[in-house]
Amino acid sequence: MSDGLFHSQDVDLKSCKIVTSAGKPLELKDIVVELNYFEDIFNNGISGSLVINDSMSYIQIYQIQGNEALILAIDKPGLDNPIEKTFRIYNVSNRNVAKPTNETYILKFCSEELLLNEQYKVSKSYPDAKVSEIVKDICTSFLKIDDKEFPTYNIDETTGLRTLVIPNFKPIQAINWACTFALSADKGNVGSPFLFYENRYGFHFRSILNLFQQPSFRIYQYDEKNLGSDSNKFTKDLQKDYVSVIEYEFVEALNSVQAVKQGIYSNKTYTIDPLRLKFGETNFDYSEYTKDAASLEKGKMPFSAQNRFGDTPDKTPGVIKFCISSTGQSENKYIKDKKITINENQIEQTVSNRTAQISMLCSNRVKILVPGDIELSVGKVVEFNMPSTVYTDKSKQKQSDEFSSGKYLITALRHVLNQQNKFYTCLELAKESFPNSYTDFDNSDPGWKGVR
């Protein structure tokens, strides 16, 4: 880190070339005013923008029209682990005259796969296949994503065979739909919290619960103290700055009304089996779910307060869904006698859990601004130690906030290179649990009972 890196916000923009309609590369790094690079775990590709200050009329001479390729390479000095990707420019916007001799405009870019997704459709039947195999085939056959960008270790294996008929969907639409049928083959995975996303390390098909079980990639602190060795003050200060949070903002805290509306604490799925003429009911109960499911932290979300009718939020379903089920059909006597193979969709395990799990992850979100770090990516786990606003012991050292600190999953990030050649990374962090459990409400307490 110290070899060539003199400031935590230093950056090395190695390449920012566009390949024009004539097939000639045009290097733009010297006229880039601002670079924005976006990753989002709930989107399916990378996007970004370049603010260009053009005094050479490149936009006219090279006929930049919004269909060019962008070859981007960003590194930290001395790190030698650059983000190296080729994107497609899809729009030229905000073109303005800055001075009589130059103009500014924005080049918007995205992953090639996002463009391909809009151009092609998938109409295919997948009999007797795992969902992970279906996703891999769509990526390979329709989007032509190679193994380097979508390696096997980026794919969480699913269990059970499914028969899916994809009716003229866009490729990524088909993948997102297939995610709702996926059940993880790994222990500690409950339900169907699978996501398909891209980060600097390629494409991923991962279960959120598997991501929770990663070791922490970075530990950030808003007010870092005594990091590094006192024998090398330069190294100590540089390392301190590299993992220090410049500023933070909580953008979403647990909203009890939204939690009920989204079915986080309780939801219900009614199923209909048209073959056997059976009606079923599956209930999601947050208190039962947390006994078996993997989580970031040990502390649960608070749900112990009773309403005036004596019910806690996990006892009243906030969301009700209706689905067609084939679960149990293979045990039917008639089907057994005919020796018909049926791949049951296990909808009872997927719908209710997934409904709660995705909303659960987004219920607590914080944005932090840190020195630019190209090794970060969505899908990694980091720790954020936020100091309490009061001194809690005689040593005059602030302790970490016991609920807002702890592990978070990176769900979105933005790398920003500004006009002063300073490099920042804005992270959106989310979590569904806490380092410590909140105190349960004493629902029999006269003071609490009196206000209900």
Side-chain angles (χ1 to χ4, degrees), residues 131-141 146-147 150-151 155:
V131 173
S132 51
E133 295 171 346
I134 295 172
V135 170
K136 180 65 174 178
D137 182 73
I138 294 173
C139 290
T140 302
S141 302
D146 60 32
D147 290 339
F150 195 27
I155 303 172

Side-chain angles (χ1 to χ4, degrees), residues 190-192 258-271 280-289 301 312-323 347-360:
V190 178
S192 183
Q258 288 297 319
V260 171
K261 290 173 65 175
Q262 293 168 350
I264 289 177
Y265 295 123
S266 178
N267 66 72
K268 183 176 293 187
T269 301
Y270 289 112
T271 55
E281 178 182 315
T282 302
N283 294 290
F284 175 87
D285 185 327
Y286 177 75
S287 59
E288 293 297 320
Y289 165 82
M301 294 194 296
T312 52
D314 60 316
K315 302 305 179 186
T316 54
V319 173
I320 297 176
K321 294 192 174 185
F322 295 86
C323 299
I347 208 76
E348 293 81 1
Q349 296 184 51
T350 59
V351 173
S352 287
N353 282 300
R354 185 179 176 88
T355 297
Q357 287 167 322
I358 302 298
S359 298
M360 203 183 297

Side-chain angles (χ1 to χ4, degrees), residues 15-29 31-32 50 52 54 58-59 62-72 86-89 92 105 107-109:
S15 174
C16 189
K17 296 178 183 177
I18 63 171
V19 180
T20 65
S21 56
K24 296 181 179 180
L26 171 64
E27 181 59 75
L28 298 177
K29 67 179 183 179
I31 60 172
V32 172
L50 297 167
I52 303 297
D54 185 356
Y58 287 143
I59 195 170
Y62 290 90
Q63 301 181 38
I64 299 174
Q65 53 191 278
N67 287 291
E68 295 75 16
L70 170 66
I71 303 171
L72 188 65
T86 299
F87 299 98
R88 283 293 297 271
I89 293 172
V92 182
Y105 47 88
L107 301 179
K108 296 181 180 180
F109 62 86

Side-chain angles (χ1 to χ4, degrees), residues 375-398:
E375 293 186 302
L376 294 171
S377 65
V378 295
K380 288 187 179 294
V381 171
V382 296
E383 292 183 41
F384 171 43
N385 292 327
M386 190 189 80
S388 173
T389 56
V390 296
Y391 295 102
T392 57
D393 59 26
K394 296 179 180 180
S395 66
K396 299 299 182 182
Q397 294 292 322
K398 290 184 178 180

Side-chain angles (χ1 to χ4, degrees), residues 405-417:
S405 296
K407 292 182 178 180
Y408 286 84
L409 183 70
I410 302 176
T411 55
L413 68 78
R414 178 170 67 126
H415 293 311
V416 184
L417 170 62

